[in-house]
């Protein structure tokens, strides 16, 4: 077992001891004394994550689990997505999005016209992803036993049309959420096929989950930016980054403050992934008025009013309360 894992085991089994007693063996000539501020903040000890995995998430804000979702399940999700694209299925509340470069061309009722679908909580086939036992076992490590599925997406990243619009700007998912605390929220993101740097894999900035929510807005990209694709205004472009290349069925779990994005799809095929943001049912809603999230609330209200004629009274909180679904345990707050 590595020294990192040994240090973590010491923390797990001795957290009830006085802080001064929590010391680790010297590493690289240094000696660390662990106080309460160094206790494990981001995960629960359910017996599933190894000490090394817990420490890795603590330091980096993400962990990658290989081959978690079966090929059979992924193929079912793909088939349902294709039915939706052919307009054979009508799903209440579903948001269908097209790449800004594609949306300027003639509409074709086919998956080539769709870059993403969101809010598929009313589609029984796709929502099965959010209730997969092997996913929820990991989610519980981050949220605790009472789990809400809050935000659902199936991403169909198209081949770039030459305008670089298939990119997704670097962002923090918490920018879109009006519930807290952030540490009890986690995203599960599953590759539906091989994901590489060539077809636009996720790019993450390890350790940025320990910071705060940054100001977001549309980046000033020459080819245009897709609707709702806000980006972080002030992150350090020199920060070390990791490209998450994945095989079909691999799943990454990451913190909502982790800065991440994705590159262009430089292949001729579509890059598919399915994801769900989960939150502890013990989380609570906040009012984003007067915060950096006011711009996203304004945009969401405009879309809701256009789609449902709900007027100005709807808030960002309301939209999340409508979408959230209990998937495990008891609905205590959200």
């Amino acid at each position: 077992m590595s020294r990192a894992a040994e240090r973590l085991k010491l923390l797990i089994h001795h957290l009830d001891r006085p802080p001064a007693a929590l010391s680790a063996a010297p590493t690289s000539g240094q000696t660390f004394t662990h106080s309460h501020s160094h206790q494990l903040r981001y995960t629960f000890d359910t017996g599933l994550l190894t000490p090394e995995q817990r420490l890795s998430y603590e330091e980096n804000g993400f962990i990658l689990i290989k081959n978690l979702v079966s090929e059979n399940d992924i193929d079912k999700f793909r088939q349902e997505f294709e039915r939706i694209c052919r307009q054979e299925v009508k799903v209440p509340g579903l948001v269908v999005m097209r790449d800004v470069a594609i949306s300027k061309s003639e509409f074709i009722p086919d998956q080539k016209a769709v870059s993403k679908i969101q809010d598929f909580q009313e589609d029984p086939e796709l929502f099965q992803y959010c209730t997969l036992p092997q996913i929820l076992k990991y989610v519980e490590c981050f949220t605790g036993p009472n789990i809400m599925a809050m935000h659902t997406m199936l991403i169909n990243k198209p081949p770039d049309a030459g305008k670089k619009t298939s990119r997704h700007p670097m962002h923090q998912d918490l920018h879109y959420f009006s519930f807290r605390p952030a540490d009890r929220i986690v995203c599960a993101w599953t590759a539906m096929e091989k994901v590489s740097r060539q077809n636009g894999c996720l790019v993450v900035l390890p350790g940025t989950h320990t910071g705060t929510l940054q100001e977001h807005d549309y980046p000033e990209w020459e080819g245009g930016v897709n609707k709702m694709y806000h980006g972080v205004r002030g992150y350090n472009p020199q920060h070390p980054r990791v490209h998450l290349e994945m095989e079909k069925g691999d799943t990454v779990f990451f913190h909502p403050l982790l800065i991440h994005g994705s590159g262009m799809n430089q292949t001729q095929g579509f890059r598919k992934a399915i994801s769900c943001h989960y939150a502890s049912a013990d989380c609570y809603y906040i009012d984003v008025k007067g915060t950096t999230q006011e711009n996203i609330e304004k945009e969401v209200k405009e879309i809701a009013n256009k789609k449902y004629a709900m007027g100005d009274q709807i808030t960002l909180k309301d939209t999340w309360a409508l979408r959230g679904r209990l998937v495990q345990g008891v609905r205590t707050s959200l």
Side-chain angles (χ1 to χ4, degrees):
M1 183 179 290
S2 71
R3 284 211 176 150
E6 288 174 357
R7 293 204 313 273
L8 187 54
K9 274 205 162 182
L10 184 69
L11 280 173
I12 293 171
H13 297 301
H14 295 80
L15 284 178
D16 57 338
R17 291 168 58 186
L22 302 180
S23 60
T27 305
S28 302
Q30 296 176 319
T31 300
F32 299 95
T33 299
H34 295 278
S35 67
H36 282 293
S37 63
H38 291 91
Q39 292 176 12
L40 297 182
R41 170 178 168 180
Y42 301 107
T43 60
F44 296 104
D45 184 11
T46 68
L48 179 63
L49 295 179
T50 67
E52 288 172 305
Q53 286 174 319
R54 293 188 70 193
L55 186 59
S56 178
Y57 191 86
E58 199 79 10
E59 295 176 346
N60 298 307
F62 68 95
I63 57 166
L64 177 60
I65 307 299
K66 305 292 287 183
N67 197 29
L68 188 62
V69 180
S70 73
E71 189 164 338
N72 182 58
D73 279 331
I74 289 173
D75 289 344
K76 284 194 303 184
F77 303 147
R78 180 187 295 270
Q79 290 164 14
E80 180 68 358
F81 172 71
E82 291 172 356
R83 285 194 289 269
I84 290 170
C85 292
R86 291 194 299 267
Q87 300 182 3
E88 295 172 7
V89 181
K90 299 292 185 184
V91 182
L94 187 74
V95 177
V96 179
M97 304 175 73
R98 290 190 288 156
D99 186 277
V100 65
I102 297 173
S103 66
K104 294 174 182 175
S105 63
E106 184 179 351
F107 175 73
I108 305 166
D110 180 79
Q111 66 168 307
K112 290 185 175 126
V114 178
S115 60
K116 183 194 290 187
I117 59 173
Q118 291 191 154
D119 304 330
F120 57 69
Q121 65 273 0
E122 297 296 336
D123 185 292
E125 282 291 315
L126 290 180
F127 196 70
Q128 283 183 26
Y129 170 77
C130 306
T131 61
L132 289 174
Q134 66 268 37
I135 294 276
L136 292 179
K137 277 199 308 182
Y138 278 95
V139 170
E140 185 173 351
C141 299
F142 309 101
T143 64
N146 300 320
I147 305 172
M148 297 287 294
M150 299 299 293
H151 185 223
T152 53
M153 291 192 299
L154 194 154
I155 304 108
N156 187 45
K157 184 187 277 284
D160 198 84
K163 305 268 187 191
K164 301 183 180 180
T165 53
S166 65
R167 293 178 293 173
H168 198 304
M170 302 301 279
H171 65 285
Q172 297 166 299
D173 290 339
L174 193 67
H175 171 65
Y176 298 92
F177 303 152
S178 59
F179 42 93
R180 301 290 189 275
D183 293 348
R184 299 284 74 88
I185 303 168
V186 71
C187 178
W189 193 101
T190 299
M192 294 178 66
E193 54 211 319
K194 184 178 178 63
V195 174
S196 66
R197 293 184 70 162
Q198 286 69 43
N199 65 7
C201 66
L202 287 178
V203 183
V204 301
L205 305 188
T208 50
H209 67 301
T210 62
T212 58
L213 181 59
Q214 304 296 307
E215 183 180 356
H216 288 61
D217 210 338
Y218 285 108
E220 296 174 358
W221 287 352
E222 185 179 341
V225 186
N226 286 305
K227 191 73 172 169
M228 306 283 282
Y229 278 29
H230 291 193
V232 175
R233 277 294 178 100
Y235 79 96
N236 177 11
Q238 303 305 314
H239 191 289
R241 56 184 61 197
V242 174
H243 292 81
L244 295 178
E245 296 193 306
M246 301 163 66
E247 298 294 330
K248 184 177 182 179
D250 291 355
T251 302
V252 61
F253 296 89
F254 60 91
H255 192 280
L257 283 172
L258 182 73
I259 296 176
H260 66 287
S262 63
M264 286 187 297
N265 181 356
Q266 302 176 68
T267 70
Q268 294 306 303
F270 286 73
R271 188 272 276 158
K272 289 182 176 62
I274 188 168
S275 74
C276 179
H277 279 90
Y278 298 90
S280 167
D282 303 323
C283 286
Y284 53 87
Y285 290 108
I286 64 166
D287 184 354
V288 300
K289 187 176 181 180
T291 74
T292 60
Q293 292 178 264
E294 272 192 324
N295 59 348
I296 192 65
E297 179 173 59
K298 180 182 177 184
E299 197 165 336
V300 167
K301 287 170 74 169
E302 288 171 354
I303 293 170
N305 192 32
K306 183 177 179 182
K307 192 169 184 178
Y308 303 110
M310 300 184 78
D312 193 53
Q313 70 274 18
I314 191 169
T315 65
L316 190 60
K317 167 186 169 179
D318 296 329
T319 65
W320 288 117
L322 288 168
R323 286 179 276 184
R325 296 291 184 274
L326 183 72
V327 289
Q328 182 178 296
V330 180
R331 188 168 190 171
T332 53
S333 179
L334 279 186

